[in-house]
Amino acid sequence: MSGLVNVLVIVAVAALVIFRQFRARRIDADRRWWLLPAILAVVALRDPHLIDAHHQGEAVALLVAELIIGLGIGAGWAWTSRIWVEPDGAVWTSTTKAGIAVWSGGIALRAALFGLGELLGVHQGSPALMLALAATLLVRSGVLVLRSGALTAADGRTAAYGDGRPRPAWKEHA
């Protein structure tokens, strides 16, 4: 894929994710929540310019740092998301202000990492960013699916995440 196509894919996926995070959405554990991250990862890994051939060591270190940041953003975003059960048993989630702070911090860290790469003379393309976005989405979705499974009490009543006590459906505030 060309660099322009990669950038367009990243912008489209990021716009979709950002748009969806500000709206409450249903968590469906049966859905293939891992599919979009898997597609992004495959597209990124197929790109021959993922690692700068002239600075392989530095490029790998930057890629690993990018992935760690992506995993951290995904985990932080998932754990700061509000999650609740509706009376019909559907589990819903929405992003909180803390989740927005996680995203903002992640963007700042990624910008700093890009600046470091520029100082080192490492060519950084969109495949690394796409791979990190895939890691972010995979971790967030996985953690939300795990959290949603813990919401329904054994007797069928709903409970707030983490307290172990049955309660009527309500929104958990992170």
Side-chain angles (χ1 to χ4, degrees), residues 12-106:
V13 170
L16 175 68
V17 167
I18 290 169
F19 174 75
R20 287 179 64 189
Q21 80 173 327
F22 289 109
R23 297 179 53 208
R25 68 181 186 94
R26 186 177 177 162
I27 298 174
D28 187 3
D30 295 336
R31 223 178 65 198
R32 293 189 179 143
W33 51 267
W34 49 267
L35 189 58
L36 177 60
I39 292 169
L40 288 174
V42 167
V43 169
L45 291 171
R46 289 189 58 199
D47 193 308
H49 305 292
L50 180 62
I51 302 294
D52 184 354
H54 302 293
H55 303 93
Q56 287 185 351
E58 295 91 343
V60 169
L62 288 171
L63 179 61
V64 168
E66 182 79 24
L67 288 174
I68 290 170
I69 291 170
L71 293 171
I73 291 170
W77 184 20
W79 284 105
T80 58
S81 293
R82 186 178 11 245
I83 188 168
W84 69 94
V85 179
E86 290 291 327
D88 66 355
V91 181
W92 289 76
T93 185
S94 67
T95 297
T96 62
K97 291 177 184 174
I100 295 168
V102 168
W103 263 89
S104 300

Side-chain angles (χ1 to χ4, degrees), residues 6 9 15-17 22 24 30 43 48 55 106 118 138 146 163 167:
N6 281 348
V9 168
L16 175 68
V17 167
F22 289 109
D30 295 336
V43 169
H55 303 93
E118 288 296 313
L138 183 67
L146 288 173
D163 70 358
R167 292 188 182 181

